[in-house]
Each structure stands twice: as C-alpha cells, then as structure tokens.
Amino acid sequence: VIRVRCDCEMVVKQVAGECKVNAATLKPLHDTLKAAMATFGAARSLTLDYVQRAENGVAHELANRACATEIAPVAPADVTAPP
C-alpha cells in the first residue's frame, strides 16, 4: 500500500475528479500525476489523502525547498512502475 498525504485539499479534489484543473500551467502536471498514479496503482494500492498543513509541517517545508529548486519536467511516458 502506498499512501500519499497532501496538505492541499484542492489538489486532492482535482486528482479525485471532484474539481476541475483550470490553470493551463497545471494541466500537464495533473496529467503526469494521474499517469503515475495509474501506473503505480495498477501494481499496488495507492491513495491520495488530504491532511491539514498543521499536521504536515515537515513535508510542507520539504515541498517549499523542492519548489525553489529548478528541475526538468517528467513526461507521463517516463513514469514506470517499480519491479
């Protein structure tokens, strides 16, 4: 079981299909995440859960650091399930 915890309720709702992704810049990221979840979810049980930011302080800080770092985007085709 892989459990992903996210402190952005909107992202959790967008991934679940409860809310629409309106920002054009976010649509490719959303597509990549959905492809990764489908790939990993097929091999294992995968969930994305909302957790309040106050309960997720360390992860939030790490995410802020990652956002400040320039990385190359990953195309959905680059995502593969682990062995």
Side-chain angles (χ1 to χ4, degrees), residues 19-60:
C19 293
K20 195 173 178 182
V21 179
N22 293 318
T25 56
L26 295 180
K27 287 181 181 182
L29 297 172
H30 179 262
D31 293 343
T32 299
L33 176 59
K34 292 292 285 184
M37 289 184 72
T39 299
F40 287 99
R44 298 181 173 80
S45 175
L46 177 73
T47 62
L48 179 64
D49 301 317
Y50 169 68
V51 61
Q52 293 185 353
R53 190 167 292 165
E55 299 172 21
N56 204 29
V58 173
H60 185 70

Side-chain angles (χ1 to χ4, degrees), residues 7 9 15 24 30 33 43 49 51 57 61 67 70 73 75 79 81:
D7 64 10
E9 189 173 14
V15 171
H30 179 262
L33 176 59
D49 301 317
V51 61
E61 175 59 30
C67 288
E70 189 173 323
V79 178

